[in-house]
Amino acid sequence: MAVIEPFSGIRYNPEKVGDLNLVVAPPYDIIPERLQEQLYRNHPNNVIRLELNRETPQDSKREDRYTRSAAYLKEWLDTGILIQEERPVIYSYFMDYKTQEGESRTLKGFICRLRLEAFDTGVVLPHENTLSGPKADRLRLMEACHTNFSPIFSLYSNPAREIPRVLDETGKSQPIIHVTDLDGVHHRVWAITNPDAIRKIQKVLADRPLFIADGHHRYETALNYRNAMRDKTGKHDGGQGFDYVMTYIANMEEPGLTIYPTHRLVDHLEGFELNRYIEKAGAYFEIQTFPFQRKKDFFLALKTLGGERPAFGLYTIESDDLFLLCLKNHEKIRPLFQPDLSPALRKLDVSILHTVLLDHFLGIGEKELKAQSHVRYVKDSEDAIHSVNDRDAQLAFLMNATRVEQLSEVSLQREKMPQKSTYFYPKLLTGLVICSLK
């Protein structure tokens, strides 16, 4: 069962820092160096100094960006820049935003602390593989600060949407935090102190698995940190601060939940011939050609047909046309997959792209993907097309989004999706609430 609990969160003190918009930051893993520098300039107490501190040439084993983060944390707590709740609460957290199509939506969820569970228990389920580098980085930060600066993002299924009704009650009052991020998303936070409301949330989630949406590296890092702290302290009762991780939880049936596709840019291909590629693809896909001037019609067809069967867009430097590839038959491509792969994973658009269009036709397999030697990822379809037009990529594969029910189906099969299968939006802000693991 999923064990969630309130906690005494640490928040910025507006009386000390002023405008809270200047001290929060996007998730660390989507912050390029240029934005990191901007966040440093925004405010001397921006959370970037805790979550993603700068490296310096003078760094050593005794003093580095992780120890500097710990020093900032201690200083800001000692001077009242950061203050801790007087009693444990659960935080209601709404994000108001507009989709790429201009539709207004609100994602409703809450921040709590979640008791860590190994994946084999089935209580918390991942859908993506992780890399060792990011986990090593996050572990060093946790070891230095003993703190979660940002929550992981997880989902649960409850078609009756019982918890959002509880959260709506909090939305009738003024939020304790209201900030707007760089994308124009409004982030509103309330503290839930009512014991009945907290028990209701706990009851709904007690017998439901949680699916990690964003934060796989941080969740696995939290497990590694917990295990190391258990060895160090000898405490294995499950009731210590290090047995938990700060988590944002939302209902996967929530109408405010949005998943965008992640498109693929391909380059460094030797001897690529478009006509030969299209001919090979024609054995498995129905192919339509759209002149570039009909780009709007192309994207409409990609989305429409993608609701019926796997469909992909292809744009290259060798043609002024956009190509739409629609799968003819799932059974025909089945021999190209590993025989033990589940039907749920075989039918994913991103699995078909990687196995058939990249690996089988271009020789870009798992080894090449891990080496990042041929494929790059981009969220915006127009950026993908511009990259080809600017000769920054040879090919652009344009995708439809993975559906949330596909995520849960694959996760329940205890399988992992290919890298960059989902892009959940909007992104949780770092610095709204902080959780001490001491």
Side-chain angles (χ1 to χ4, degrees):
M1 60 181 289
V3 176
I4 69 161
E5 292 185 358
F7 66 102
S8 297
I10 297 168
R11 297 188 283 117
Y12 278 102
N13 182 354
E15 294 182 2
K16 290 279 189 176
V17 300
D19 187 357
L20 293 179
N21 288 284
L22 300 179
V23 294
V24 295
Y28 81 98
D29 54 351
I30 62 169
I31 298 178
E33 185 175 350
R34 178 168 47 84
L35 178 55
Q36 183 188 32
E37 293 302 317
Q38 177 186 328
L39 294 169
Y40 263 85
R41 294 191 298 269
N42 279 354
H43 198 286
N45 303 123
N46 189 284
V47 73
I48 195 71
R49 289 173 170 80
L50 305 179
E51 178 78 324
L52 192 64
N53 217 317
R54 286 184 294 203
E55 295 179 331
T56 71
Q58 294 77 32
D59 282 354
S60 65
K61 290 184 178 180
R62 296 186 61 183
E63 182 177 337
D64 56 23
R65 62 176 178 157
Y66 307 106
T67 59
R68 284 193 293 277
S69 291
Y72 277 126
L73 177 61
K74 183 179 185 304
E75 176 190 342
W76 295 357
L77 285 167
D78 289 345
T79 58
I81 291 168
L82 293 173
I83 53 177
Q84 191 163 22
E85 303 285 357
E86 294 181 356
R87 56 176 171 170
V89 302
I90 282 177
Y91 297 91
S92 180
Y93 178 7
F94 290 7
M95 289 176 275
D96 309 307
Y97 67 102
K98 287 190 175 182
T99 65
Q100 293 173 343
E101 296 76 25
E103 177 188 353
S104 295
R105 292 184 179 179
T106 298
L107 179 58
K108 302 174 182 179
F110 61 93
I111 300 174
C112 63
R113 67 173 192 162
L114 169 70
R115 190 168 69 190
L116 290 158
E117 299 280 355
F119 291 143
D120 58 11
T121 66
V123 174
V124 178
L125 297 171
H127 76 271
E128 285 186 354
N129 288 310
T130 55
L131 302 173
S132 58
K135 287 188 288 188
D137 163 60
R138 294 298 92 182
L139 183 59
R140 290 186 66 185
L141 183 64
M142 290 183 74
E143 289 173 337
C145 299
H146 308 287
T147 302
N148 291 150
F149 297 117
S150 58
I152 67 166
F153 180 6
S154 60
L155 300 166
Y156 66 96
S157 177
N158 178 224
R161 298 183 64 244
E162 297 168 85
I163 292 178
R165 289 201 295 271
V166 175
L167 303 180
D168 282 338
E169 289 300 311
T170 66
K172 296 177 180 178
S173 60
Q174 288 295 317
I176 58 174
I177 300 171
H178 185 179
V179 296
T180 304
D181 68 21
L182 298 174
D183 290 333
V185 180
H186 294 275
H187 300 256
R188 296 179 291 152
V189 178
W190 297 263
I192 302 176
T193 58
N194 186 319
D196 291 336
I198 292 173
R199 281 193 291 269
K200 174 68 173 178
I201 293 172
Q202 291 171 321
K203 182 179 178 181
V204 171
L205 289 179
D207 58 351
R208 302 175 194 276
L210 294 178
F211 304 90
I212 298 177
D214 269 344
H216 289 79
H217 289 94
R218 280 170 288 159
Y219 188 89
E220 290 190 27
T221 298
L223 281 172
N224 294 336
Y225 174 78
R226 179 201 70 178
N227 295 339
M229 290 299 292
R230 284 181 172 182
D231 290 343
K232 181 178 180 179
T233 64
K235 296 180 179 179
H236 299 259
D237 58 7
Q240 308 306 313
F242 53 72
D243 288 302
Y244 293 82
V245 64
M246 183 168 63
T247 305
Y248 175 78
I249 303 178
N251 190 332
M252 65 171 55
E253 287 85 14
E254 181 66 29
L257 183 66
T258 296
I259 305 177
Y260 288 134
T262 302
H263 311 289
R264 271 64 173 165
L265 296 175
V266 180
D267 52 21
H268 300 113
L269 294 175
E270 295 183 5
F272 175 80
E273 296 178 10
L274 176 61
N275 290 338
R276 186 180 174 193
Y277 187 86
I278 292 297
E279 181 182 351
K280 289 193 295 183
Y284 301 96
F285 298 87
E286 294 175 1
I287 301 176
Q288 299 180 44
T289 304
F290 291 77
F292 192 82
Q293 293 78 6
R294 293 182 57 207
K295 184 174 63 171
K296 185 176 180 180
D297 294 335
F298 162 80
F299 278 114
L300 178 60
L302 175 63
K303 183 177 180 180
T304 302
L305 290 172
E308 303 169 0
R309 52 184 167 149
F312 309 89
L314 172 64
Y315 185 54
T316 84
I317 60 176
E318 296 188 17
S319 174
D320 293 330
D321 295 327
L322 292 153
F323 298 91
L324 182 59
L325 286 63
C326 300
L327 185 67
K328 293 178 179 179
N329 188 298
H330 278 285
E331 285 303 311
K332 192 168 184 179
I333 63 171
R334 184 170 183 171
L336 304 181
F337 289 90
Q338 295 293 329
D340 58 345
L341 218 58
S342 74
L345 200 50
R346 287 201 308 269
K347 291 180 179 179
L348 280 179
D349 284 26
V350 68
S351 296
I352 295 170
L353 173 78
H354 282 208
T355 301
V356 183
L357 295 172
L358 294 183
D359 192 357
H360 186 62
F361 291 160
L362 295 175
I364 301 174
E366 286 300 315
K367 179 181 177 182
E368 290 77 15
L369 289 172
K370 289 181 179 179
Q372 300 178 329
S373 56
H374 291 284
V375 177
R376 288 174 289 137
Y377 305 91
V378 60
K379 182 182 69 172
D380 188 86
S381 59
E382 289 294 338
D383 289 344
I385 288 175
H386 287 315
S387 293
V388 174
N389 287 337
D390 294 341
R391 298 300 193 262
D392 188 40
Q394 288 175 265
L395 314 177
F397 285 100
L398 305 165
M399 306 284 294
N400 285 303
T402 300
R403 299 187 303 276
V404 70
E405 61 268 22
Q406 292 177 308
L407 179 150
S408 62
E409 188 177 4
V410 170
S411 299
L412 288 169
Q413 295 286 335
R414 307 297 178 89
E415 291 185 310
K416 306 283 184 65
M417 294 181 180
Q419 188 180 13
K420 302 292 184 182
S421 294
T422 57
Y423 188 94
F424 285 89
Y425 188 83
K427 296 297 183 183
L428 307 176
L429 277 183
T430 297
L432 297 176
V433 180
I434 294 170
C435 180
S436 173
L437 303 178
K438 295 182 180 178

